[in-house]
Amino acid sequence: MVKKNACVFISGYGSNLKSLIKRSRDTNFPININLVVCNNLKANGVNHAKKNSIPFFIINTKKRNFENFILNELRKHNISLICLAGYMKILSKNFIRKFGKKIINIHPSLLPKYKGLNTYERVLKNKETKTGCTVHFVNENLDSGKSIVQKFFFINKKDKEQNLKIKTHKLEQNAFSEAIIKIFRYY
Ligand code: GAR
């Protein structure tokens, strides 16, 4: 199998990046992770790139033209898929258009419910009975692109935000790799 080159964008802990790196070592998995982009100097996630000798850079999103810099790096590494794995910065319409290839995002809710931030808090406040995660294509509107994979669990009455986060993260790792397999098979 000829693998595609992928870039993972992160801002924080990097548990999804870690599991994608692990999955990508499988010869049957459709992508290699060739580049990591991070917008947070303190993000733990870059350690996963370092440990695995994956090129990475930390971007200052306050600088003008930072998106052009990223686009250039994506071209250099021949990237054909961007995975947003906890990247907490909205990509501009211009960036999405100029990249012109697939961009997918993982979100900790059952979209279209609970787009945006503080999902666990809002899920509990609204006394939802289930929650989960969604991997979807990125379009110009926040958390609104076509869903690729969704996974859910039932909420226990005793669940607090922290439990929901732990349970969601567990689902996310499989959801992300399933979505990647699916998009190279069907889209
Ligand atoms: C994940 O739960 C992901 O769904 C969420 O950030 C977390 C990153 O965790 N993304 C968003 O909220 C995007 N709107 P990680 O850094 O451990 O992979």
Side-chain angles (χ1 to χ4, degrees):
M1 165 189 267
V2 180
K3 290 188 174 216
K4 302 276 185 190
N5 291 0
C7 175
V8 181
F9 283 37
I10 59 166
S11 299
Y13 191 69
S15 60
N16 282 289
L17 169 63
K18 186 179 176 193
S19 74
L20 283 178
I21 293 172
K22 198 168 164 211
R23 286 304 310 272
S24 68
R25 292 207 193 97
D26 181 344
T27 45
N28 291 319
F29 196 64
I31 57 159
N32 280 323
I33 313 285
N34 301 75
L35 186 64
V36 171
V37 173
C38 178
N39 69 335
N40 173 8
L41 264 176
K42 293 182 184 151
N44 169 73
V46 290
N47 291 321
H48 299 304
K50 282 183 195 162
K51 270 187 213 153
N52 291 281
S53 309
I54 297 171
F56 69 93
F57 57 87
I58 297 169
I59 200 87
N60 178 354
T61 54
K62 290 197 180 102
K63 277 200 173 158
R64 235 163 49 92
N65 283 335
F66 80 91
E67 284 192 332
N68 282 338
F69 177 82
I70 302 177
L71 283 165
N72 212 14
E73 291 297 316
L74 295 171
R75 260 180 239 116
K76 274 193 215 160
H77 288 85
N78 195 22
I79 299 297
S80 44
L81 172 71
I82 295 176
C83 302
L84 304 181
Y87 183 65
M88 305 310 271
K89 170 97 189 151
I90 295 170
L91 300 175
S92 73
K93 288 177 189 171
N94 199 32
F95 179 92
I96 295 170
R97 190 178 49 78
K98 280 190 175 163
F99 178 60
K101 296 174 190 167
K102 294 182 180 77
I103 307 178
I104 62 175
N105 177 47
I106 189 148
H107 184 76
S109 80
L110 297 174
L111 291 173
K113 283 184 156 183
Y114 305 105
K115 296 173 182 176
L117 299 174
N118 306 320
T119 52
Y120 307 119
E121 185 188 328
R122 289 185 287 144
V123 159
L124 288 175
K125 204 172 166 194
N126 286 345
K127 301 199 177 343
E128 295 286 355
T129 53
K130 60 182 185 173
T131 187
C133 65
T134 308
V135 183
H136 64 93
F137 286 111
V138 170
N139 65 14
E140 293 173 357
N141 301 314
L142 180 69
D143 299 330
S144 295
K146 185 177 161 55
S147 169
I148 306 161
V149 167
Q150 200 158 56
K151 289 188 181 286
F152 76 92
F153 61 91
F154 289 104
I155 298 173
N156 194 308
K157 281 201 176 113
K158 288 181 189 153
D159 278 339
K160 302 269 187 313
E161 276 182 47
Q162 190 57 18
N163 306 59
L164 293 191
K165 189 173 173 182
I166 292 167
K167 291 178 186 177
T168 305
H169 272 222
K170 270 194 188 148
L171 290 185
E172 285 190 332
Q173 305 187 1
N174 287 329
F176 226 155
S177 28
E178 275 178 34
I180 290 168
I181 291 169
K182 201 169 161 186
I183 60 176
F184 285 107
R185 197 170 285 164
Y186 303 116
Y187 291 94

